Amino acid sequence: MSELFTEGAPIEDTRAPAGPIEERWDKRRFGGKLVNPANRRKLSVIVVGTGLAGGSAAATLGELGYQVKSFCYQDSPRRAHSIAAQGGINAAKNYRNDGDSIQRLFYDTVKGGDYRSRESNVYRLAQVSVEIIDQCVAQGVPFARDYGGLLDTRSFGGVQVSRTFYARGQTGQQLLLGAYQALERQIAAGTVTMFSRHEMLELIVVDGVARGIVARDMVTGEIETHLADAVVLASGGYGNVFFLSTNAKGCNVTATWRAHRKGALFANPCYTQIHPTCIPQSGEHQSKLTLMSESLRNDGRVWVPVKKGDTRRPADIPEGERDYYLERIYPSFGNLVPRDIASRAAKNVCDEGRGVGPGGLGVYLDFADAIARLGRDAVAAKYGNLFEMYERITGEDPFEVPMRIYPAVHYTMGGLWVDYDLQSTIPGLFVVGEANFSDHGANRLGASALMQGLADGYFVLPNTISDYLAKGPFEKIGEDHEAVAEARAAVEGRIEKLLSIDGDRTPDSFHRELGAVMWEYCGMERTDAGLRKALDRIRELREEFWTRVKVPGENEELNQNLEKAGRIADFFELAELMCIDALHREESCGGHFRAESQTPDGEALRDDERFAYVAAWEYTGHAPVLHKENLEYEYVKMTQRSYK
């Protein structure tokens, strides 16, 4: 594979303290330098993204007294994609007295990630989780409560305790509104300046240090430069490289990819999560897919007909002719196995010809038993808005007939490489939330994305960025600085090139074709031959894109085709790196399943001797350079994952 990449020097996280793991976060906070309140007012920070990680980070930094500029491409910060999260947020509160603890949340997360995440980061996440719930309750987030008025919890995949706090099926929305009101308070106080409808198109790096961004005003087309003492990226994941995903259509990789091109290493890009409970695709016309919360697997039972090609209505299939395959294969966890396992199991039964619905690409999620056991009102109280959303989209009532579900791209565990302080390989560039790689290994457990976003934004970043900012005051950089002018010119040149091609294909047509290639060859199952085929096709498509794409209109206006074209150009480069990463990792782990590496019963087979490392890739403009960060486990023993 030497023609695809070269191997460089190993990389190491030097910021995590030594000593007992439960003391490391306290030790790091105490060892970090502080900035006194008077000096904070003289320091500036740019935060890109206003989801749970970015919104909470900007609000907290503003409250601390820093001068913050916050950017989002939506018309309001509260439209960040975090608002779409449904099921809940994990925290090791142990209110149910069911054996949960910080240690168990730590263990479940490492195991769920198939032993491909850092112990120090994951343990800190488990520690901070208990503070998040208190913070959100104080903000007024309306978490579900039990009959006695105490906070309620439910279970999610990959665990055997109830640690997921929720607000019906709208948890992300309620948490984001909490962060949004904290952000708006700081905007009103003057510590945060908000730039909505602005898209970051370049990172400004001066003498090797991140000092600002180039952004485009999406309404007027004006190219702006914004300078600061540090930059925080909270721009989310890159699941839309597959075209069809549960992500909002605007979600993209441009902010992190621009940073990658400027020197930030990109870690584990092939680790993508396929969510098992999504509404199946209904036709070629679709441009996105809809998630059905994992929380539904608490009470819904997943099944398919025993016989191949059984097209009877579900009500006409007797109990004895149904295969509750997750309960059969994984009796200990049943329908609450982790997402990667549930998704592959659904694919397997559909590949056997036992899938349901159009094209046989679906399985049933049945609530009949739960309705009989709990009553319709109790089920409606838990899942009513999810049932309503399903009925509006499909025209079928889940109270009367089982839901039909099928896996879809949902989340990306890969992202920019960061150390324990959440700082990338570019000094002064910090990365939080889904945009970094740090906590979930090769597979994220359900309800842990919201936990990581708020942990990073409210509690981790404010404590670690101060150590960097304490080096200030920093040299003032003007817009006439050579590096600033170069970054701005690069953005203007790229826009001009996209507008000048005047080809005969729309940006969406390229995106749809790229997504189909990625889903086929770098989706739920990957092979050596398939990935090589994908690489050839991606390169052909990218060349074609730069000669045939048509971007009508001008820059100096609202131009959504221009926005799409810029994002898709970055997706082409990312897609190539994802396939190279998947090809080089000749093992199966979590969401990365190589058909050549599986156990006799079809489970993911890791190769810890060769691949127990983080793959951090350096951009060169041609063959990328691989830097390995070896993963060492002191507190969790690496074993073959089993949920049986």
Side-chain angles (χ1 to χ4, degrees):
M1 270 186 257
S2 57
E3 77 281 5
L4 295 177
F5 67 91
T6 58
E7 188 169 336
I11 190 169
E12 185 181 358
D13 172 25
T14 59
R15 307 302 286 179
I21 196 167
E22 60 273 11
E23 297 175 9
R24 289 177 189 173
W25 178 226
D26 285 341
K27 202 170 177 181
R28 179 70 194 104
R29 281 190 292 184
F30 183 72
K33 295 175 183 174
L34 300 178
V35 181
N36 81 51
N39 286 340
R40 289 178 204 152
R41 294 192 291 272
K42 304 170 187 174
L43 295 167
S44 57
V45 182
I46 285 171
V47 181
V48 179
T50 57
L52 288 181
S56 59
T60 307
L61 293 172
E63 191 162 10
L64 286 169
Y66 297 108
Q67 294 301 307
V68 180
K69 287 184 177 181
S70 176
F71 292 81
C72 68
Y73 62 76
Q74 296 89 350
D75 57 358
S76 165
R78 67 179 180 276
R79 289 203 169 188
H81 189 57
S82 297
I83 206 161
Q86 297 172 0
I89 178 170
N90 289 329
K93 285 287 199 180
N94 195 32
Y95 285 164
R96 290 287 187 96
N97 198 28
D98 55 1
D100 201 10
S101 63
I102 288 171
Q103 178 68 25
R104 188 173 295 280
L105 176 52
F106 161 63
Y107 170 77
D108 286 344
T109 305
V110 171
K111 178 184 175 183
D114 216 353
Y115 305 94
R116 290 293 179 264
S117 54
R118 276 196 207 129
E119 280 191 327
S120 294
N121 289 62
V122 177
Y123 196 90
R124 174 177 66 189
L125 179 64
Q127 284 177 300
V128 170
S129 72
V130 299
E131 301 174 43
I132 297 170
I133 303 303
D134 298 339
Q135 165 87 2
C136 294
V137 169
Q139 288 176 333
V141 173
F143 285 122
R145 294 179 181 267
D146 63 19
Y147 182 76
L150 302 176
L151 291 175
D152 198 12
T153 53
R154 56 191 178 196
S155 297
F156 259 58
V159 304
Q160 293 178 309
V161 296
S162 293
R163 66 162 67 101
T164 305
F165 296 79
Y166 64 98
R168 295 186 79 197
Q170 306 168 349
T171 314
Q173 180 186 62
Q174 300 305 321
L175 292 172
L176 185 60
L177 290 174
Y180 168 71
Q181 68 187 23
L183 177 62
E184 286 295 319
R185 179 168 170 260
Q186 296 309 311
I187 292 171
T191 60
V192 177
T193 305
M194 189 68 229
F195 294 86
S196 58
R197 303 296 286 157
H198 280 67
E199 182 169 23
M200 172 186 161
L201 296 180
E202 191 58 276
L203 178 72
I204 296 172
V205 178
V206 179
D207 297 328
V209 177
R211 291 303 304 269
I213 65 170
V214 179
R216 178 176 178 270
D217 183 321
M218 295 162 67
V219 177
T220 67
E222 183 181 353
I223 306 302
E224 304 172 0
T225 53
H226 295 271
L227 302 169
D229 299 315
V231 177
V232 178
L233 295 186
S235 50
Y238 49 88
N240 273 351
V241 70
F242 291 90
F243 186 71
L244 285 175
S245 82
T246 66
N247 291 177
K249 286 301 294 177
C251 294
N252 64 83
V253 75
T254 292
T256 49
W257 194 255
R258 295 286 108 193
H260 175 55
R261 288 176 62 111
K262 281 293 182 77
L265 300 188
F266 206 113
N268 301 333
C270 77
Y271 289 167
T272 53
Q273 180 162 87
I274 315 293
H275 198 294
T277 52
C278 301
I279 297 177
Q281 184 180 354
S282 62
E284 292 299 314
H285 62 282
Q286 268 184 269
S287 61
K288 79 176 299 294
L289 298 172
T290 303
L291 174 73
M292 285 284 102
S293 170
E294 181 169 319
S295 63
L296 294 167
R297 288 196 277 145
N298 271 276
D299 291 303
R301 300 179 70 194
V302 179
W303 65 275
V304 292
V306 170
K307 292 187 297 185
K308 293 182 182 180
D310 192 335
T311 57
R312 289 177 290 174
R313 295 184 311 136
D316 296 335
I317 301 175
E319 193 72 15
E321 296 179 36
R322 300 179 178 188
D323 180 13
Y324 294 90
Y325 59 90
L326 291 178
E327 297 173 25
R328 171 175 56 82
I329 302 171
Y330 307 101
S332 292
F333 284 75
N335 295 296
L336 285 174
V337 291
R339 292 174 175 177
D340 58 318
I341 290 174
S343 292
R344 281 197 296 274
K347 179 182 185 297
N348 291 341
V349 295
C350 290
D351 288 349
E352 291 169 6
R354 296 194 289 143
V356 301
L361 293 178
V363 299
Y364 287 127
L365 183 60
D366 197 337
F367 293 87
D369 287 357
I371 293 168
R373 184 178 75 253
L374 303 170
R376 181 178 174 126
D377 289 347
V379 173
K382 281 185 175 182
Y383 311 116
N385 66 306
L386 297 171
F387 278 34
E388 180 185 350
M389 180 164 58
Y390 181 87
E391 185 175 8
R392 285 188 180 186
I393 292 170
T394 66
E396 299 172 356
D397 182 0
F399 284 109
E400 304 298 330
V401 295
M403 287 183 177
R404 285 179 296 107
I405 56 168
Y406 193 70
V409 175
H410 177 59
Y411 186 88
T412 53
M413 285 73 67
L416 292 184
W417 186 93
V418 292
D419 60 19
Y420 192 67
D421 286 357
L422 304 182
Q423 187 170 210
S424 72
T425 47
I426 300 176
L429 177 67
F430 293 78
V431 191
V432 295
E434 191 179 354
N436 74 30
F437 88 102
S438 67
D439 292 340
H440 305 296
N443 174 65
R444 177 177 65 76
L445 291 182
S448 288
L450 307 188
M451 172 174 65
Q452 186 209 347
L454 292 182
D456 286 356
Y458 281 135
F459 299 105
V460 180
L461 179 75
N463 281 292
T464 59
I465 198 171
S466 62
D467 187 61
Y468 174 79
L469 292 172
K471 298 172 185 174
F474 297 86
E475 179 190 352
K476 293 297 179 189
I477 302 294
E479 293 197 8
D480 57 348
H481 189 284
E482 183 182 2
V484 179
E486 280 180 10
R488 184 189 179 102
V491 169
E492 292 170 339
R494 196 159 180 260
I495 289 172
E496 193 175 321
K497 184 175 181 182
L498 286 168
L499 289 167
S500 68
I501 295 169
D502 196 27
D504 58 358
R505 288 190 61 177
T506 65
D508 270 345
S509 73
F510 281 104
H511 195 183
R512 189 182 289 273
E513 192 169 348
L514 172 65
V517 170
M518 292 300 289
W519 178 250
E520 179 69 23
Y521 301 114
C522 197
M524 273 194 280
E525 184 173 300
R526 300 148 181 194
T527 65
D528 185 284
L531 290 165
R532 291 180 186 276
K533 187 174 180 179
L535 279 169
D536 290 341
R537 185 61 188 134
I538 290 165
R539 288 165 179 167
E540 290 169 4
L541 270 175
R542 189 174 68 212
E543 282 187 32
E544 189 179 339
F545 173 86
W546 285 106
T547 56
R548 290 186 61 189
V549 73
K550 183 176 183 65
V551 182
E554 302 173 349
N555 175 56
E556 290 75 23
E557 62 180 356
L558 175 65
N559 190 336
Q560 292 187 316
N561 279 295
L562 178 59
E563 296 163 20
K564 289 178 184 176
R567 295 166 187 171
I568 294 161
D570 290 332
F571 276 141
F572 274 119
E573 296 182 6
L574 166 70
E576 186 173 341
L577 184 62
M578 287 172 67
C579 290
I580 291 172
D581 188 36
L583 192 57
H584 109 278
R585 191 171 282 278
E586 297 172 334
E587 65 161 355
S588 294
C589 56
H592 169 64
F593 189 79
R594 285 287 296 266
E596 305 93 337
S597 182
Q598 52 184 303
T599 64
D601 53 356
E603 301 290 350
L605 180 63
R606 294 196 323 271
D607 184 346
D608 295 335
E609 288 292 317
R610 298 170 60 208
F611 295 104
Y613 61 77
V614 174
W617 297 91
E618 178 187 349
Y619 181 84
T620 63
H622 40 90
V625 178
L626 170 64
H627 300 272
K628 298 177 180 177
E629 180 199 340
N630 288 321
L631 293 169
E632 297 176 3
Y633 288 91
E634 300 176 66
Y635 295 88
V636 176
K637 183 182 178 184
M638 296 174 75
T639 59
Q640 181 65 32
R641 261 192 332 170
S642 174
Y643 291 92
K644 294 184 176 182

